[in-house]
mmCIF file of all heavy atoms in Angstrom:
data_model
loop_
_atom_site.group_PDB
_atom_site.id
_atom_site.type_symbol
_atom_site.label_atom_id
_atom_site.label_comp_id
_atom_site.label_asym_id
_atom_site.label_seq_id
_atom_site.Cartn_x
_atom_site.Cartn_y
_atom_site.Cartn_z
ATOM 1 N N VAL A 1 -5.714 0.266 3.203
ATOM 2 C CA VAL A 1 -6.564 0.565 2.061
ATOM 3 C C VAL A 1 -7.881 -0.179 2.260
ATOM 4 O O VAL A 1 -7.910 -1.261 2.844
ATOM 5 C CB VAL A 1 -5.883 0.175 0.732
ATOM 6 C CG1 VAL A 1 -5.624 -1.315 0.645
ATOM 7 C CG2 VAL A 1 -6.674 0.651 -0.461
ATOM 8 N N TYR A 2 -8.951 0.435 1.777
ATOM 9 C CA TYR A 2 -10.292 -0.117 1.984
ATOM 10 C C TYR A 2 -10.992 -0.330 0.646
ATOM 11 O O TYR A 2 -10.692 0.328 -0.349
ATOM 12 C CB TYR A 2 -11.133 0.846 2.823
ATOM 13 C CG TYR A 2 -10.526 1.209 4.143
ATOM 14 C CD1 TYR A 2 -9.801 2.395 4.291
ATOM 15 C CD2 TYR A 2 -10.660 0.382 5.248
ATOM 16 C CE1 TYR A 2 -9.229 2.738 5.498
ATOM 17 C CE2 TYR A 2 -10.096 0.715 6.469
ATOM 18 C CZ TYR A 2 -9.383 1.899 6.579
ATOM 19 O OH TYR A 2 -8.815 2.227 7.786
ATOM 20 N N LEU A 3 -11.948 -1.246 0.660
ATOM 21 C CA LEU A 3 -12.837 -1.427 -0.482
ATOM 22 C C LEU A 3 -14.257 -1.524 0.067
ATOM 23 O O LEU A 3 -14.623 -2.532 0.682
ATOM 24 C CB LEU A 3 -12.492 -2.681 -1.287
ATOM 25 C CG LEU A 3 -13.319 -2.859 -2.561
ATOM 26 C CD1 LEU A 3 -12.952 -1.771 -3.584
ATOM 27 C CD2 LEU A 3 -13.097 -4.239 -3.172
ATOM 28 N N GLN A 4 -15.021 -0.452 -0.118
ATOM 29 C CA GLN A 4 -16.424 -0.456 0.276
ATOM 30 C C GLN A 4 -17.235 -1.033 -0.872
ATOM 31 O O GLN A 4 -17.189 -0.511 -1.989
ATOM 32 C CB GLN A 4 -16.900 0.965 0.590
ATOM 33 C CG GLN A 4 -18.364 1.066 0.966
ATOM 34 C CD GLN A 4 -18.690 0.370 2.265
ATOM 35 O OE1 GLN A 4 -17.961 0.494 3.236
ATOM 36 N NE2 GLN A 4 -19.792 -0.379 2.281
ATOM 37 N N MET A 5 -17.968 -2.108 -0.585
ATOM 38 C CA MET A 5 -18.727 -2.795 -1.616
ATOM 39 C C MET A 5 -20.208 -2.716 -1.277
ATOM 40 O O MET A 5 -20.641 -3.245 -0.247
ATOM 41 C CB MET A 5 -18.277 -4.262 -1.710
ATOM 42 C CG MET A 5 -16.787 -4.422 -1.939
ATOM 43 S SD MET A 5 -16.284 -6.139 -2.221
ATOM 44 C CE MET A 5 -16.671 -6.846 -0.633
ATOM 45 N N ASN A 6 -20.956 -2.048 -2.120
ATOM 46 C CA ASN A 6 -22.403 -1.899 -1.946
ATOM 47 C C ASN A 6 -23.136 -2.611 -3.075
ATOM 48 O O ASN A 6 -22.557 -2.931 -4.109
ATOM 49 C CB ASN A 6 -22.776 -0.420 -1.922
ATOM 50 C CG ASN A 6 -22.137 0.338 -0.783
ATOM 51 O OD1 ASN A 6 -21.880 -0.217 0.298
ATOM 52 N ND2 ASN A 6 -21.859 1.608 -1.006
ATOM 53 N N SER A 7 -24.430 -2.824 -2.868
ATOM 54 C CA SER A 7 -25.274 -3.465 -3.884
ATOM 55 C C SER A 7 -24.623 -4.736 -4.422
ATOM 56 O O SER A 7 -24.545 -4.949 -5.634
ATOM 57 C CB SER A 7 -25.551 -2.485 -5.036
ATOM 58 O OG SER A 7 -26.175 -1.312 -4.559
ATOM 59 N N LEU A 8 -24.170 -5.552 -3.524
ATOM 60 C CA LEU A 8 -23.454 -6.757 -3.922
ATOM 61 C C LEU A 8 -24.355 -7.722 -4.683
ATOM 62 O O LEU A 8 -25.565 -7.830 -4.400
ATOM 63 C CB LEU A 8 -22.854 -7.443 -2.701
ATOM 64 C CG LEU A 8 -21.572 -6.780 -2.180
ATOM 65 C CD1 LEU A 8 -21.287 -7.178 -0.750
ATOM 66 C CD2 LEU A 8 -20.404 -7.127 -3.080
ATOM 67 N N GLU A 9 -23.743 -8.400 -5.633
ATOM 68 C CA GLU A 9 -24.444 -9.357 -6.492
ATOM 69 C C GLU A 9 -23.776 -10.721 -6.358
ATOM 70 O O GLU A 9 -22.580 -10.799 -6.018
ATOM 71 C CB GLU A 9 -24.368 -8.878 -7.945
ATOM 72 C CG GLU A 9 -24.908 -7.487 -8.172
ATOM 73 C CD GLU A 9 -24.522 -6.942 -9.538
ATOM 74 O OE1 GLU A 9 -23.724 -7.582 -10.247
ATOM 75 O OE2 GLU A 9 -25.033 -5.852 -9.886
ATOM 76 N N PRO A 10 -24.509 -11.803 -6.625
ATOM 77 C CA PRO A 10 -23.885 -13.129 -6.557
ATOM 78 C C PRO A 10 -22.628 -13.236 -7.423
ATOM 79 O O PRO A 10 -21.694 -13.964 -7.069
ATOM 80 C CB PRO A 10 -24.996 -14.053 -7.059
ATOM 81 C CG PRO A 10 -26.257 -13.351 -6.675
ATOM 82 C CD PRO A 10 -25.968 -11.890 -6.858
ATOM 83 N N GLU A 11 -22.595 -12.484 -8.530
ATOM 84 C CA GLU A 11 -21.423 -12.503 -9.413
ATOM 85 C C GLU A 11 -20.180 -11.888 -8.770
ATOM 86 O O GLU A 11 -19.075 -12.015 -9.295
ATOM 87 C CB GLU A 11 -21.725 -11.754 -10.710
ATOM 88 C CG GLU A 11 -22.780 -12.418 -11.602
ATOM 89 C CD GLU A 11 -24.202 -12.296 -11.061
ATOM 90 O OE1 GLU A 11 -24.461 -11.371 -10.240
ATOM 91 O OE2 GLU A 11 -25.046 -13.109 -11.455
ATOM 92 N N ASP A 12 -20.344 -11.208 -7.656
ATOM 93 C CA ASP A 12 -19.202 -10.637 -6.926
ATOM 94 C C ASP A 12 -18.526 -11.670 -6.024
ATOM 95 O O ASP A 12 -17.495 -11.377 -5.419
ATOM 96 C CB ASP A 12 -19.650 -9.457 -6.072
ATOM 97 C CG ASP A 12 -20.174 -8.293 -6.911
ATOM 98 O OD1 ASP A 12 -19.548 -7.979 -7.934
ATOM 99 O OD2 ASP A 12 -21.216 -7.716 -6.537
ATOM 100 N N THR A 13 -19.095 -12.852 -5.916
ATOM 101 C CA THR A 13 -18.513 -13.901 -5.084
ATOM 102 C C THR A 13 -17.136 -14.289 -5.603
ATOM 103 O O THR A 13 -16.976 -14.617 -6.782
ATOM 104 C CB THR A 13 -19.435 -15.134 -5.071
ATOM 105 O OG1 THR A 13 -20.663 -14.795 -4.434
ATOM 106 C CG2 THR A 13 -18.775 -16.286 -4.327
ATOM 107 N N ALA A 14 -16.139 -14.203 -4.728
ATOM 108 C CA ALA A 14 -14.754 -14.495 -5.114
ATOM 109 C C ALA A 14 -13.858 -14.347 -3.884
ATOM 110 O O ALA A 14 -14.308 -13.855 -2.841
ATOM 111 C CB ALA A 14 -14.281 -13.525 -6.189
ATOM 112 N N VAL A 15 -12.614 -14.746 -4.054
ATOM 113 C CA VAL A 15 -11.585 -14.379 -3.080
ATOM 114 C C VAL A 15 -11.034 -13.031 -3.523
ATOM 115 O O VAL A 15 -10.650 -12.861 -4.686
ATOM 116 C CB VAL A 15 -10.467 -15.421 -3.022
ATOM 117 C CG1 VAL A 15 -9.375 -14.972 -2.058
ATOM 118 C CG2 VAL A 15 -11.031 -16.779 -2.592
ATOM 119 N N TYR A 16 -11.003 -12.093 -2.598
ATOM 120 C CA TYR A 16 -10.533 -10.748 -2.900
ATOM 121 C C TYR A 16 -9.109 -10.576 -2.366
ATOM 122 O O TYR A 16 -8.840 -10.869 -1.200
ATOM 123 C CB TYR A 16 -11.461 -9.709 -2.277
ATOM 124 C CG TYR A 16 -12.724 -9.536 -3.087
ATOM 125 C CD1 TYR A 16 -13.690 -10.534 -3.120
ATOM 126 C CD2 TYR A 16 -12.950 -8.377 -3.836
ATOM 127 C CE1 TYR A 16 -14.848 -10.394 -3.885
ATOM 128 C CE2 TYR A 16 -14.098 -8.224 -4.599
ATOM 129 C CZ TYR A 16 -15.038 -9.241 -4.617
ATOM 130 O OH TYR A 16 -16.180 -9.099 -5.376
ATOM 131 N N TYR A 17 -8.241 -10.064 -3.239
ATOM 132 C CA TYR A 17 -6.833 -9.893 -2.913
ATOM 133 C C TYR A 17 -6.446 -8.420 -2.943
ATOM 134 O O TYR A 17 -6.848 -7.677 -3.840
ATOM 135 C CB TYR A 17 -5.958 -10.631 -3.922
ATOM 136 C CG TYR A 17 -6.129 -12.125 -3.917
ATOM 137 C CD1 TYR A 17 -7.051 -12.736 -4.759
ATOM 138 C CD2 TYR A 17 -5.368 -12.930 -3.078
ATOM 139 C CE1 TYR A 17 -7.217 -14.113 -4.767
ATOM 140 C CE2 TYR A 17 -5.519 -14.307 -3.077
ATOM 141 C CZ TYR A 17 -6.445 -14.883 -3.919
ATOM 142 O OH TYR A 17 -6.601 -16.251 -3.926
ATOM 143 N N CYS A 18 -5.620 -8.046 -2.002
ATOM 144 C CA CYS A 18 -5.028 -6.723 -1.959
ATOM 145 C C CYS A 18 -3.632 -6.803 -2.581
ATOM 146 O O CYS A 18 -2.941 -7.816 -2.412
ATOM 147 C CB CYS A 18 -4.934 -6.294 -0.488
ATOM 148 S SG CYS A 18 -4.099 -4.757 -0.179
ATOM 149 N N ALA A 19 -3.220 -5.753 -3.290
ATOM 150 C CA ALA A 19 -1.905 -5.736 -3.927
ATOM 151 C C ALA A 19 -1.272 -4.365 -3.780
ATOM 152 O O ALA A 19 -1.974 -3.354 -3.679
ATOM 153 C CB ALA A 19 -2.052 -6.097 -5.402
ATOM 154 N N ALA A 20 0.060 -4.343 -3.795
ATOM 155 C CA ALA A 20 0.798 -3.089 -3.614
ATOM 156 C C ALA A 20 1.967 -3.015 -4.586
ATOM 157 O O ALA A 20 2.586 -4.035 -4.912
ATOM 158 C CB ALA A 20 1.317 -2.988 -2.180
ATOM 159 N N ASP A 21 2.267 -1.789 -5.007
ATOM 160 C CA ASP A 21 3.428 -1.582 -5.866
ATOM 161 C C ASP A 21 4.008 -0.198 -5.621
ATOM 162 O O ASP A 21 3.274 0.784 -5.516
ATOM 163 C CB ASP A 21 3.043 -1.731 -7.334
ATOM 164 C CG ASP A 21 4.276 -1.748 -8.207
ATOM 165 O OD1 ASP A 21 4.936 -2.790 -8.275
ATOM 166 O OD2 ASP A 21 4.597 -0.699 -8.798
ATOM 167 N N ALA A 22 5.350 -0.146 -5.552
ATOM 168 C CA ALA A 22 6.034 1.101 -5.205
ATOM 169 C C ALA A 22 6.502 1.887 -6.410
ATOM 170 O O ALA A 22 7.119 2.941 -6.233
ATOM 171 C CB ALA A 22 7.233 0.798 -4.308
ATOM 172 N N HIS A 23 6.243 1.421 -7.618
ATOM 173 C CA HIS A 23 6.712 2.144 -8.787
ATOM 174 C C HIS A 23 5.707 3.206 -9.200
ATOM 175 O O HIS A 23 4.599 3.255 -8.711
ATOM 176 C CB HIS A 23 6.954 1.162 -9.939
ATOM 177 C CG HIS A 23 7.972 0.125 -9.607
ATOM 178 N ND1 HIS A 23 7.632 -1.093 -9.047
ATOM 179 C CD2 HIS A 23 9.321 0.125 -9.706
ATOM 180 C CE1 HIS A 23 8.739 -1.789 -8.841
ATOM 181 N NE2 HIS A 23 9.777 -1.077 -9.231
ATOM 182 N N GLY A 24 6.090 4.026 -10.118
ATOM 183 C CA GLY A 24 5.179 4.998 -10.684
ATOM 184 C C GLY A 24 5.136 6.304 -9.921
ATOM 185 O O GLY A 24 6.021 6.619 -9.136
ATOM 186 N N THR A 25 4.068 7.041 -10.143
ATOM 187 C CA THR A 25 3.904 8.364 -9.555
ATOM 188 C C THR A 25 2.560 8.422 -8.840
ATOM 189 O O THR A 25 1.853 7.428 -8.736
ATOM 190 C CB THR A 25 3.914 9.436 -10.652
ATOM 191 O OG1 THR A 25 2.707 9.294 -11.438
ATOM 192 C CG2 THR A 25 5.124 9.282 -11.562
ATOM 193 N N ASP A 26 2.213 9.586 -8.377
ATOM 194 C CA ASP A 26 0.932 9.740 -7.697
ATOM 195 C C ASP A 26 -0.255 9.726 -8.663
ATOM 196 O O ASP A 26 -1.391 9.896 -8.254
ATOM 197 C CB ASP A 26 0.927 11.028 -6.877
ATOM 198 C CG ASP A 26 -0.176 11.036 -5.833
ATOM 199 O OD1 ASP A 26 -0.674 9.941 -5.471
ATOM 200 O OD2 ASP A 26 -0.567 12.122 -5.384
ATOM 201 N N TRP A 27 0.014 9.511 -9.945
ATOM 202 C CA TRP A 27 -1.066 9.312 -10.915
ATOM 203 C C TRP A 27 -1.171 7.842 -11.310
ATOM 204 O O TRP A 27 -1.901 7.483 -12.212
ATOM 205 C CB TRP A 27 -0.825 10.152 -12.172
ATOM 206 C CG TRP A 27 -0.947 11.606 -11.883
ATOM 207 C CD1 TRP A 27 0.059 12.501 -11.732
ATOM 208 C CD2 TRP A 27 -2.162 12.333 -11.666
ATOM 209 N NE1 TRP A 27 -0.447 13.747 -11.450
ATOM 210 C CE2 TRP A 27 -1.804 13.675 -11.396
ATOM 211 C CE3 TRP A 27 -3.528 11.980 -11.671
ATOM 212 C CZ2 TRP A 27 -2.753 14.659 -11.149
ATOM 213 C CZ3 TRP A 27 -4.468 12.971 -11.433
ATOM 214 C CH2 TRP A 27 -4.080 14.281 -11.169
ATOM 215 N N TYR A 28 -0.415 6.995 -10.625
ATOM 216 C CA TYR A 28 -0.281 5.589 -10.982
ATOM 217 C C TYR A 28 -1.276 4.751 -10.196
ATOM 218 O O TYR A 28 -1.213 4.692 -8.964
ATOM 219 C CB TYR A 28 1.152 5.172 -10.655
ATOM 220 C CG TYR A 28 1.553 3.782 -11.034
ATOM 221 C CD1 TYR A 28 1.632 3.372 -12.366
ATOM 222 C CD2 TYR A 28 1.934 2.861 -10.063
ATOM 223 C CE1 TYR A 28 2.050 2.100 -12.701
ATOM 224 C CE2 TYR A 28 2.356 1.594 -10.387
ATOM 225 C CZ TYR A 28 2.416 1.216 -11.712
ATOM 226 O OH TYR A 28 2.841 -0.034 -12.047
ATOM 227 N N ALA A 29 -2.201 4.130 -10.899
ATOM 228 C CA ALA A 29 -3.199 3.254 -10.276
ATOM 229 C C ALA A 29 -3.471 2.121 -11.254
ATOM 230 O O ALA A 29 -4.530 2.069 -11.902
ATOM 231 C CB ALA A 29 -4.478 4.026 -9.964
#
């Protein structure tokens, strides 16, 4: 999975974490 980040701002500074879950349906986000 990807996260394209454009027009970055100083407020975007952080540790970014990826997460996964197998529950739900194909409408689940």
Side-chain angles (χ1 to χ4, degrees):
V1 63
Y2 304 97
L3 185 68
Q4 178 66 44
M5 305 186 295
N6 299 329
S7 302
L8 282 161
E9 304 167 353
E11 293 73 22
D12 296 317
T13 295
V15 177
Y16 282 71
Y17 296 92
C18 175
D21 190 78
H23 300 91
T25 69
D26 198 21
W27 292 103
Y28 184 66

